[in-house]
Each structure stands twice: as structure tokens, then as C-alpha cells.
DNA sequence: TGGTGTAGTATCTAAAAAGATACTGTTAGG
DNA sequence: CCTAACAGTATCTTTTTAGATACTACACCA
């Protein structure tokens, strides 16, 4: 009742999307559809297999992505967004857009500082 | 050109909003307007002064919040959102709303699992 | 027979984020 | 003179996150 911040559900959404790789994975699957493990890995230079596996497992756990294993050798595993996962799209796109503006905003602030000095 | 994820600006927005306390601070200032340090601290039970100071400085650095010092004793320092900071509002609100649904979604998945077992 | 591609594990290490605790200076009030 | 309120700093430790590296099984191909 008295100015206390409670029941902040931002963390719920944030927890799913944060990390160096999760937003990249989600945006990639949103835009490119179904992809297999090796394709994901190739599209993210710098990520280790361990990291990729971990991120994918966590997203699967939260019902954001779907993992389909084909029982064949060499193995084939496909990943795609769930319908539920796709509901994250507006948030991700909004952040992407805001981020793009923010880069410019920081540049402008830099110029202003220099002029004032 | 070939399925590589580049120029992902989500991180820019994410970097500003992540952390255990930043979303709480931002939503509080968005909803309650100008607040002083002690009011912020009181509204966030569990945060240490060091943490609060650090988060506020980082948000100020990014031009999300404004810090006004009144030269008096005992000191008085007021924090409020900048116009620019307020542009984060739709993202935060969207995440809050999504998070609220997500809590329910997880509950439903839990029930389904139990029924299947 | 040896190498390649696939989708991973298993260990260990480094770096980043968060938390605990103690400390500062100033002034008003009792 | 002692204490509380305010808005912080300064150190130190713990926890979390990320990265490096090496390893697995199996089939196909030359």
C-alpha cells in the first residue's frame, strides 16, 4: 500500500531473454524457422558447444523452443520456436528497435559533451 | 547474407534493463515520479546501499535517470526518469505483462505434466 | 584403417555480478 | 556530549555466468 515495489514480473520475462546468446538464438529461430544444432552453432561464431547446449536446454525447459530428435546416425536434432515462444516476439523486436536508437542517442550525447567542453 | 545473426541490438536495451534491481528501480520511478535515495532504498527491501548506488550511477550514465543533489545537510538527492528514460516504458510494461502470463503458463504446464504421469 | 560429421558431456578456469560488513562527514535534536 | 538521519565509500567474500579444452558414440566414405 505504501510505495513498495512488489510483484514485479519483469524478471520473469527478463530471465528468459537475458544472457549473451539467448536473444540471438531466439531472434534467429524467429526469423529463420527450424534449424538444427550445427546450423545454430555455425550462425553464432564464438559460442561453445557447451554454451549452446545449455542455452537451448534452458529455453526448452521454459517452453520457448521445441527440440526434435531424429533417431539416426549421425544424429539430427532440430530446434524451432513454440507458439508460446513466439509471443516473445514483440518484446524482442521492441528491444531491438530501442537498442538501435540508443546507439544513436549515445553518439549524440558524446557530441554534446564535446561541444560544451 | 547467409543465415548469420549480426547487428543484434537487443543487447543494447537488455544491458540497461538487466540485473536484479534495475527493472525495479525503473518501474518505481516511472510510476512514482521523483524519489530520493532513502525512499528508493526503503522501497526495495534487501538491496544494499552499495548496490543501489551502483545501479543508479549506471542508469544515470546511460541517461535513463536524472540525479539532482541539493547542497544541504543532511544531504538530499533526488532521482527521476529522464524523457529519454521514459521511452523504455513500453518495453518494461510489455515484459511485466508477459511475465504475468508466463507465471500462469508454467502452472498450466505443471498440471499437464502431472496428468500425463 | 583412418578420417569426417553430428550432437552432444565432462572438467576446469576466468570473469562478472551480487552481497556482507564496516566506515565517512555533517548537523539537528535531546 | 551522544545519537540519529542522510547519502554515500571502501573492502572483502560468495555466487553466478561464461569460456577453454578435451572427450564420447556411431556410421559413412575413401
Amino acid at each position: 500500500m505504501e510505495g513498495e515495489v512488489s510483484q514485479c514480473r519483469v524478471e520473469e520475462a527478463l530471465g528468459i531473454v537475458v544472457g549473451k546468446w539467448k536473444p540471438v538464438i531466439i531472434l534467429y529461430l524467429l526469423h529463420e524457422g527450424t534449424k538444427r544444432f550445427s546450423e545454430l552453432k555455425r550462425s553464432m561464431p564464438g559460442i561453445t558447444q557447451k554454451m549452446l547446449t545449455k542455452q537451448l536446454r534452458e529455453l526448452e525447459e521454459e517452453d520457448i523452443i521445441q527440440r526434435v530428435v531424429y533417431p539416426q546416425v549421425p544424429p539430427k536434432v532440430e530446434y524451432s520456436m513454440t507458439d508460446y515462444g513466439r509471443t516473445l516476439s514483440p518484446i524482442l523486436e521492441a528491444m531491438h528497435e530501442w537498442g538501435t536508437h540508443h546507439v544513436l542517442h549515445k553518439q549524440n550525447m558524446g557530441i554534446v559533451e564535446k561541444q560544451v567542453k
Side-chain angles (χ1 to χ4, degrees), chain A residues 18-36:
Chain A
V18 286
K20 194 167 168 184
W21 302 108
K22 275 183 191 159
V24 182
I25 294 170
I26 295 172
L27 283 175
Y28 186 61
L29 290 179
L30 274 174
H31 291 140
E32 309 283 325
T34 301
K35 289 288 163 188
R36 46 195 295 193

Side-chain angles (χ1 to χ4, degrees), chain A residues 36-91:
Chain A
R36 46 195 295 193
F37 187 86
S38 54
E39 290 177 302
L40 284 163
K41 186 163 186 320
R42 264 193 295 276
S43 76
M44 283 174 258
I47 198 170
T48 63
Q49 280 178 282
K50 185 201 161 188
M51 259 303 122
L52 182 52
T53 303
K54 199 182 162 235
Q55 307 305 302
L56 291 170
R57 289 291 138 77
E58 287 173 11
L59 291 171
E60 194 196 354
E61 187 95 341
E62 299 285 355
D63 194 30
I64 305 302
I65 65 173
Q66 202 182 358
R67 177 171 177 264
V68 178
V69 182
Y70 296 86
Q72 62 185 49
V73 166
K76 178 179 172 184
V77 180
E78 283 186 344
Y79 294 91
S80 55
M81 297 297 286
T82 61
D83 287 343
Y84 181 60
R86 265 183 276 268
T87 63
L88 276 173
S89 179
I91 293 174

